Structures are given as C-alpha cells and as structure tokens.
Amino acid sequence: MKTIIIEKNKNYFKRIAIMLLMIFVLCGLVNFLCYPSEHTYFLLPTKNTVIIFSIVGIITCALVIFLLLKSIFRKDVFLRIDEQGIFNGFFLYTKKLIKWEEISKIETIKYNYNNYIAIFLKETPNNEKGISSLFFKMNEKSMGTPYIITSGDLDCSFDELERLILEGYNQSKQIKN
C-alpha cells in the first residue's frame, strides 16, 4: 500500500471571515457587559441575565477565535493514509493515528447537511482532557463515534477522500486475511 498524504486547504477566507465576525460579536458582548442596564429587553429582562449572557458569549467567542487561529497557524496538519492506518492531524484529540486493526467499520454519514466519514473503533475510551473531552463526548453522542473526517479543511473533494480511505481500509483487510 502506498502512502497518501492530503495537505490542508490553503484557502483561509472562510476562517478569517468567521474570525472577523466573532471579533465583531465579541465587541458587542463587551459593550453589553459594560452597560447591562442599557441592554435589557424582553429576551434579557434583568441586568443579571444580560451579564450572564455576555460572559457566556465572550467565553464562546474567545474559544472559537482560539480554535480558528490554531487551525490557521498549525503547520503539522495533514491527513496520511498508509499501511499503519489513518493519521489525522486535524483531530483535536491526542489519538491522531487510527490503526487499521482498531477499526470495526467505516461509514459515510450525512449530518446537518454535511458529509462525514465516520470511523467506528472496536473500543473508544475517552482519554481526553478539557475541551477535547467535551468535543469527544459531543461527537460520540451526536454521530455515534468521535472519530469523524470531513473534506472541508482538506485539499481534496469529499468523494476523493472517501475513495482513498475506503481503498486503504479494504487493502488492509485483504493483507490481514
């Protein structure tokens, strides 16, 4: 089996646009936090709800901006398919290499109008900490597995990605038998 490396997409326009939008929202939330009495209305009827809304929003915006900056400036981000398995540098998890023998099945799923390749492992222990653990649990609950791959950040189409992963998986099963 030959090694296939798919680099990250170099088009940062979407990420930068989202980051600018988040900075704009962040400025608005800081304004809400500084002057809570001016921003009370029927959805946020008291100063305390405005303050709580502002703090939660600021934390969320900061998290999104951090994740976007991290995705833009990381240099070691790529997807590699080889005889060992699938190495996904895009995962936020510590386990980036999924070995072929750990995989029970691979499916293409559609979730929220997007296509994903879901990799189901024989055992999926959650050894993650912090935010990674939260994303692990959310993906496992919503999609059935925490290990999902999309072509959005990759320099290839979804059909090509699906074909390459399934070919690698089928070749590994043939070698094993």
Side-chain angles (χ1 to χ4, degrees):
M1 175 187 303
K2 66 178 184 172
T3 300
I4 300 162
I5 295 178
I6 304 171
E7 298 288 331
K8 73 177 177 178
N9 189 346
K10 302 288 188 210
N11 185 0
Y12 299 122
F13 179 73
K14 244 192 270 185
R15 291 183 193 128
I16 291 172
I18 292 171
M19 205 172 345
L20 290 174
L21 178 66
M22 285 291 128
I23 291 170
F24 179 73
V25 170
L26 190 63
C27 292
L29 289 168
V30 169
N31 187 22
F32 270 46
L33 190 60
C34 291
Y35 308 104
S37 59
E38 294 177 12
H39 299 288
T40 57
Y41 60 102
F42 71 97
L43 288 176
L44 302 169
T46 65
K47 287 185 199 178
N48 289 338
T49 57
V50 172
I51 291 170
I52 291 169
F53 172 79
S54 300
I55 292 172
V56 169
I58 289 170
I59 292 169
T60 304
C61 285
L63 177 65
V64 169
I65 291 169
F66 169 74
L67 291 174
L68 287 170
L69 281 172
K70 189 175 174 182
S71 75
I72 289 173
F73 290 112
R74 282 184 58 194
K75 300 289 181 204
D76 63 338
V77 182
F78 59 90
L79 182 85
R80 184 183 69 226
I81 303 167
D82 60 12
E83 65 275 346
Q84 290 182 327
I86 302 169
F87 177 86
N88 190 350
F90 292 94
F91 283 155
L92 293 174
Y93 315 134
T94 54
K95 180 181 177 79
K96 296 194 184 301
L97 176 65
I98 301 172
K99 297 180 181 175
W100 294 121
E101 56 267 8
E102 297 175 330
I103 299 173
S104 64
K105 67 180 177 175
I106 296 176
E107 290 181 0
T108 301
I109 58 173
K110 193 169 188 101
Y111 183 78
N112 287 340
Y113 304 104
N114 292 315
N115 291 321
Y116 297 95
I117 295 174
I119 302 173
F120 295 90
L121 303 182
K122 294 172 184 164
E123 294 179 26
T124 55
N126 185 354
N127 299 326
E128 304 300 322
K129 292 180 174 54
I131 294 171
S132 297
S133 178
L134 176 68
F135 284 122
F136 190 96
K137 290 175 187 173
M138 284 177 20
N139 284 342
E140 191 168 38
K141 190 170 197 128
S142 62
M143 296 197 199
T145 179
Y147 299 103
I148 56 169
I149 302 173
T150 183
S151 64
D153 290 332
L154 298 173
D155 199 19
C156 71
S157 69
F158 182 80
D159 293 332
E160 184 180 357
L161 175 67
E162 179 182 30
R163 180 184 57 78
L164 292 170
I165 288 177
L166 291 176
E167 279 177 6
Y169 182 58
N170 291 333
Q171 285 177 9
S172 75
K173 285 185 359 187
Q174 288 173 356
I175 292 171
K176 196 166 48 170
N177 292 335

